[in-house]
Amino acid sequence: MTDLKTFDAVVVGGGPAGATAATHLARRGFSVLLLDRAGRIKPCGGAVPPRLMAEFEIPDSLLVARITKARMIAPSNQHVDIPIEGGYVGMVNRSTFDEWLRERARTAGAERRTGTFETFERDENGVAVIRYKDAEGNPAAVKARAVIGADGAQSAIGHQAVPGADKLKFVFAYHEFVRTPTQPPANYEADRCDVYYQGPLSPDFYAWVFPHGDTVSIGTGTALKGFSMRQAVTDLRKTIGLDSAETLRQEGAPIPMEPLKVWDNGRDVLLAGDAAGVVAPASGEGIYYAMVGGRLAGESVAEFLITGKSKALAGARRRFMKAHGNVFRVLGVMQRFWYSNDNRRERFVSICRDQDVQQLTFDAYMNKELVKAKPLAHVRIFLKNIAHLTGLIKA
């Protein structure tokens, strides 16, 4: 074990969080290993806000579509079309997007290896040892002064090294990537996202149709065990007229819905991205928050490596929650209340007809913070919510 190569940091998982953390550390001059499984593509609608593109210097060439409106469909099939004024929702294909991020990390100086993490151990001096199987299935191992677990909602690093990581709350997500027909169905628009708030398609979350240029992501999510997500997607494809479109990929995975209370082990391991639970409730948006979490993980690990003070690791969660905790708390309340049954979903979609709600929702999405510039609009929204809750306004 004394012959093993030692890195300043080993990052397990090469999605947006892991790749961003590896890039940050490599740019700071630390020796970094980025370890990622072969062929891993997370099931994801692929939505990214303009702020992500600017903040993380992502080229426009990675966008496969720009969404300029959203359609929200109620249980009654009534729908609300919401224009996205002053911006857009970008769409990326995760296979291409994630690989570009991993290559940026390599260009910055990180070493890339393909492999599957197996165990977290320590040597006789207490140094972390990461054991994995390489691309050919052979056992391999490296040492690390610090470890970043960015290996998903059921993080093996988290389960083995961070107390409480196995308590992460999540929904299951499943989607099918299909080829966009040469002549799409009449109710399909290449610049519109459709979100279905209907119990038969998702009993406690939502189903979606997200255009990706020459492909379409059609999926659903739920925390209800036993619910057939495959059948729900089959039914949705039939409803929108894409049941005969060519299916390119079928993917499923858990998606976290609440940040963990603790992201580090107080010694040398820190979680990021889905492993830390940073996917926004209600919307399920995760790419931007994963990249923010990855950057904060990189900053905190860099501080730890320089100072030797393990308390620096806790700074990642503290800074993340200071910046985004209020958004997560508000969205969590929304999901628990409005998504609980179809009667409330009907009212939720009805509320979204309101222009104040529409503008503030997408302002918050594009700017990634609760909008405080229009207090009167917030008052009006609060009063309208009360009216819907009390039944003074019919859905």
Side-chain angles (χ1 to χ4, degrees):
M1 192 175 289
T2 56
D3 296 331
L4 298 180
K5 183 174 181 178
T6 300
F7 290 87
D8 290 324
V10 172
V11 181
V12 180
T20 301
T23 299
H24 180 86
L25 285 164
R27 285 175 174 173
R28 294 285 301 272
F30 297 104
S31 61
V32 181
L33 171 63
L34 179 59
L35 179 67
D36 193 49
R37 298 201 315 266
R40 175 202 52 78
I41 303 175
K42 178 187 173 182
C44 173
V48 297
R51 178 168 173 176
L52 178 148
M53 303 296 289
E55 190 173 326
F56 293 96
E57 300 177 316
I58 305 299
D60 286 346
S61 60
L62 288 177
L63 293 180
V64 295
R66 290 174 183 256
I67 303 302
T68 58
K69 52 184 172 291
R71 172 169 289 183
M72 305 176 72
I73 301 97
S76 65
N77 283 322
Q78 295 291 316
H79 68 262
V80 176
D81 286 343
I82 304 176
I84 304 172
E85 298 178 352
Y88 63 91
V89 176
M91 288 290 163
V92 297
N93 281 339
R94 288 294 299 271
S95 57
T96 305
F97 183 75
D98 289 15
E99 177 59 20
W100 186 89
L101 293 176
R102 289 190 288 269
E103 272 300 290
R104 179 162 71 174
R106 184 190 63 80
T107 301
E111 181 178 333
R112 285 187 61 180
R113 295 188 190 179
T114 298
T116 302
F117 168 81
E118 290 201 312
T119 60
F120 173 89
E121 302 173 6
R122 296 194 182 277
D123 69 6
E124 63 277 7
N125 296 314
V127 178
V129 177
I130 299 298
R131 296 194 179 278
Y132 64 96
K133 285 188 176 178
D134 65 18
E136 286 72 41
N138 300 313
V142 293
K143 292 183 181 182
R145 295 175 60 199
V147 178
I148 295 178
D151 51 338
Q154 293 179 317
S155 167
I157 284 285
H159 287 190
Q160 293 185 33
V162 179
D166 58 340
K167 301 298 191 296
L168 182 65
K169 297 179 180 179
F170 53 83
V171 300
F172 294 94
Y174 169 79
H175 79 154
E176 297 180 358
F177 244 74
V178 307
R179 193 177 304 282
T180 306
T182 305
Q183 293 184 325
N187 65 345
Y188 173 85
E189 295 185 27
D191 62 347
R192 188 189 74 210
C193 282
D194 293 354
V195 184
Y196 287 78
Y197 296 98
Q198 299 181 343
L201 297 178
S202 172
D204 53 354
F205 197 55
Y206 65 78
W208 68 83
V209 179
F210 287 176
H212 280 233
D214 59 0
T215 60
V216 188
S217 168
I218 306 171
T220 186
T222 181
L224 184 64
K225 294 182 179 179
F227 179 80
S228 176
M229 291 185 288
R230 286 180 180 269
Q231 185 60 52
V233 171
T234 297
D235 294 342
L236 179 54
R237 289 181 62 171
K238 185 177 297 185
T239 296
I240 61 179
L242 288 175
D243 48 321
S244 60
E246 180 187 1
T247 301
L248 303 175
R249 296 200 313 267
Q250 298 172 308
E251 299 156 350
I255 306 296
M257 283 288 106
E258 184 177 313
L260 287 172
K261 301 298 183 184
V262 176
W263 294 2
D264 68 281
N265 69 344
R267 182 171 178 177
D268 55 4
V269 178
L270 177 60
L271 303 180
D274 281 11
V278 293
V279 173
S283 69
E285 183 195 358
I287 299 177
Y288 173 78
Y289 294 114
M291 294 182 73
V292 170
R295 182 179 60 205
L296 292 173
E299 292 173 356
S300 295
V301 167
E303 182 181 349
F304 162 67
L305 291 171
I306 292 169
T307 65
K309 297 179 179 179
S310 58
K311 66 179 183 180
L313 300 175
R317 186 185 190 279
R318 183 174 61 253
R319 292 196 294 273
F320 183 94
M321 297 306 292
K322 181 178 180 180
H324 303 288
N326 285 337
V327 171
F328 274 57
R329 281 186 283 271
V330 169
L331 292 177
V333 171
M334 284 180 56
Q335 178 175 326
R336 287 190 294 273
F337 183 83
W338 290 114
Y339 292 7
S340 60
N341 59 60
D342 273 358
N343 180 55
R344 290 181 178 179
R345 295 165 187 254
E346 194 76 36
R347 291 186 175 278
F348 174 68
V349 174
S350 180
I351 288 174
C352 292
R353 293 190 178 96
D354 186 89
Q355 289 187 347
D356 289 328
V357 172
Q358 293 179 12
Q359 183 170 0
L360 289 177
T361 296
F362 280 102
D363 280 351
Y365 172 82
M366 288 184 286
N367 296 314
K368 285 291 158 281
E369 58 188 12
L370 294 178
V371 181
K372 301 177 182 178
K374 300 178 180 179
L376 290 179
H378 281 284
V379 171
R380 290 195 297 270
I381 290 172
F382 173 75
L383 294 175
K384 291 167 187 174
N385 266 281
I386 294 299
H388 275 275
L389 292 173
T390 57
L392 294 176
I393 296 178
K394 294 184 179 180

